[in-house]
Amino acid sequence: MFGEPEKVLIIDDLKDNLRLLTSILDSQNYQILTAQNGITGIAIAQQQIPDLILLDLLMPEMNGLEICQILKQDQVTRDIPIIFISALSTISEKIEAFSVGAVDYISKPFDLGEVLARVETHLRLRRLQQQLEQKTIALEAALAQEQELSQMKSNFISVVSHEFRTPLTAIQSSVELLKYYEWSREEQVEQLQQILSQVDYMKILMTDVLNLNNQGESFVPESTAIVEFWHSLVLEIIYRYRKSHSIDLVNKYPASLSAAVMLDQKLVRLIMNNLITNAVKYSPPDSLLICSLAVMGEWIVMTVKDFGIGIPLADQAQVFRRFYRGQNVSDFPGTGLGLAIVAQCVDLHRGKIELHSQLGQGTTFELYLPLVIDQTAVPKSRLAL
């Protein structure tokens, strides 16, 4: 027998019966538990979870039928097979024993071969039942995963096809207008600008789709001068939106943070690009965005704050799911992939991200990345922050 020995609990008020049954079963290397009354037997069953119970039918204070009923009503013990043992063996008694949940019945005086055979049979059935339950759980999990993947595929096709159809329709309209009507130079430039804008949106959409599939294939932290990298990254993103929003940079890091830290720059770039792009998308033109860099204990904290439409409370726990879009963003283009990409990148860094938002007042994302100093790039005297 492999693994831990199987547990057999014997509940009988007579010590001689307990000794006899124990001696019979000891030869099979079972772990034997004993109790001389129902209260003790129930407590042992609930705490030790035996694989089989041998239960005397006739006992003072609480008989076997009552004990069996209590065990079968308890979610912890209800699946444990119970074999009744009794000197009485009328048909009506056996029927009553089976009616309360027993799986078998052994008559006294005990026959050594019968006891061993019945115990081993029901332990084998118990093992097979447990194996079947485990396989059923595994199959159900696999089926649920398959259904989830199928639903994700369906969502993906639906969302992406819809998001591509919108800019393609706009591009087609602009091309037809340029083809069939006479336009001034200024009007032609306007239509061409509309086409370029829609192409840019399609590029962003395709980038999101590719990033969603590619993240996790590689996580390559590299030595990074964090202050310079963060400023350069945010300023690069800000430059794209300089005509529509004003963005403040706030620095709360200690002056000693001149050491290089270990980050995957590509992933951090994806995170900040998505967070700032979302902040711009869901806040009014000319409104303020605040981006800050700070150090809190063992974390590098990057914050993006906007004063836009906010996220409904009911949506806040769901926004990092793939394809999920909030209740109040139906008028804004999007796939629901951006924050899912953010969550993946944060997980790869073993970081965390917190969301604070109020409807009509704005949203703040706080990104926490582990502060891992590049020991090879910084003198020891400068490691204390």
Side-chain angles (χ1 to χ4, degrees):
M1 192 176 294
F2 299 96
E4 294 185 0
E6 291 168 299
K7 299 177 186 177
V8 177
L9 170 61
I10 308 170
I11 305 175
D12 196 313
D13 62 313
L14 298 179
K15 290 183 179 180
D16 288 343
N17 287 340
L18 291 177
R19 281 195 293 267
L20 177 58
L21 288 168
T22 298
S23 66
I24 293 173
L25 297 173
D26 264 344
S27 63
Q28 302 302 307
N29 297 319
Y30 299 127
Q31 180 181 346
I32 308 301
L33 310 170
T34 61
Q36 284 189 262
N37 59 71
I39 298 297
T40 304
I42 292 169
I44 292 174
Q46 292 172 334
Q47 295 168 10
Q48 299 288 330
I49 318 296
D51 298 289
L52 180 72
I53 297 175
L54 294 177
L55 177 58
D56 187 22
L57 184 59
L58 299 178
M59 288 189 293
E61 297 181 8
M62 184 184 297
N63 65 40
L65 295 174
E66 294 171 319
I67 297 170
C68 185
Q69 287 176 321
I70 292 172
L71 292 172
K72 291 302 177 182
Q73 291 170 358
D74 188 330
Q75 187 171 0
V76 175
T77 58
R78 67 185 181 186
D79 293 327
I80 301 172
I82 297 175
I83 300 176
F84 274 114
I85 50 178
S86 177
L88 304 175
S89 58
T90 65
I91 295 298
S92 62
E93 288 164 346
K94 291 183 178 181
I95 292 174
E96 190 172 13
F98 289 125
S99 70
V100 296
V103 296
D104 210 339
Y105 194 103
I106 299 175
S107 300
K108 298 178 182 178
F110 305 123
D111 177 82
L112 172 63
E114 180 186 8
V115 172
L116 290 176
R118 290 180 185 272
V119 168
E120 177 55 33
T121 295
H122 288 291
L123 284 174
R124 188 185 306 114
L125 290 173
R126 168 79 163 161
R127 291 193 295 269
L128 291 173
Q129 180 186 8
Q130 290 174 330
Q131 291 172 7
L132 179 60
E133 289 173 352
Q134 291 173 355
K135 289 182 178 179
T136 300
I137 291 172
L139 287 172
E140 289 176 346
L143 178 61
Q145 184 178 29
E146 182 66 26
Q147 291 174 336
E148 182 181 2
L149 289 173
S150 177
Q151 184 62 47
M152 286 177 58
K153 181 179 179 180
S154 176
N155 289 343
F156 177 83
I157 294 172
S158 175
V159 170
V160 173
S161 62
H162 175 269
E163 290 301 318
F164 271 113
R165 188 182 299 113
T166 301
L168 284 172
T169 300
I171 291 171
Q172 182 180 23
S173 297
S174 294
V175 170
E176 288 177 348
L177 289 172
L178 288 171
K179 181 178 180 180
Y180 294 109
Y181 294 92
E182 294 292 334
W183 298 92
S184 66
R185 179 60 181 168
E186 292 76 10
E187 290 171 331
Q188 289 177 351
V189 170
E190 183 180 344
Q191 292 298 322
L192 290 172
Q193 187 59 50
Q194 171 72 8
I195 293 172
L196 288 174
S197 175
Q198 297 302 322
V199 169
D200 285 341
Y201 175 72
M202 292 171 67
K203 288 168 59 179
I204 292 172
L205 174 61
M206 183 56 67
T207 299
D208 280 350
V209 171
L210 294 175
N211 286 333
L212 189 68
N213 290 327
N214 292 337
Q215 298 319 311
E217 294 180 358
S218 62
F219 170 57
V220 187
E222 56 186 302
S223 182
T224 303
I226 182 60
V227 175
E228 290 82 355
F229 170 73
W230 184 79
H231 274 277
S232 173
L233 169 61
V234 176
L235 288 172
E236 172 190 320
I237 299 171
I238 287 174
Y239 185 78
R240 298 204 302 266
Y241 304 109
R242 66 192 184 281
K243 294 182 179 180
S244 63
H245 289 73
S246 81
I247 303 179
D248 279 355
L249 300 184
V250 179
N251 303 321
K252 298 180 182 178
Y253 50 84
S256 58
L257 188 58
S258 56
V261 300
M262 300 302 294
L263 293 174
D264 187 316
Q265 296 185 14
K266 173 174 62 69
L267 298 185
V268 175
R269 187 176 297 276
L270 278 173
I271 293 171
M272 293 303 295
N273 184 69
N274 275 291
L275 293 181
I276 294 177
T277 298
N278 270 8
V280 169
K281 181 190 296 185
Y282 299 119
S283 60
D286 300 322
S287 63
L288 177 67
L289 305 181
I290 300 175
C291 299
S292 67
L293 174 68
V295 172
M296 295 177 60
E298 298 179 348
W299 298 98
I300 298 170
V301 185
M302 300 180 184
T303 303
V304 177
K305 177 181 179 62
D306 68 59
F307 297 89
I309 63 174
I311 301 173
L313 183 61
D315 292 328
Q316 292 181 20
Q318 309 293 328
V319 294
F320 295 103
R321 288 174 45 200
R322 295 182 179 188
F323 304 110
Y324 189 88
R325 305 203 71 212
Q327 306 169 28
N328 60 336
V329 299
S330 58
D331 293 335
F332 298 86
T335 61
L337 295 178
L339 290 179
I341 294 169
V342 167
Q344 282 184 291
C345 296
V346 173
D347 288 343
L348 288 170
H349 273 91
R350 298 186 183 278
K352 58 184 180 179
I353 188 164
E354 295 181 357
L355 161 65
H356 310 279
S357 186
Q358 285 187 306
L359 277 177
Q361 298 185 34
T363 300
T364 300
F365 285 96
E366 293 178 349
L367 168 66
Y368 292 79
L369 300 178
L371 177 57
V372 181
I373 301 294
D374 179 7
Q375 302 287 345
T376 64
V378 183
K380 293 183 178 179
S381 61
R382 298 177 62 187
L383 292 181
L385 299 178

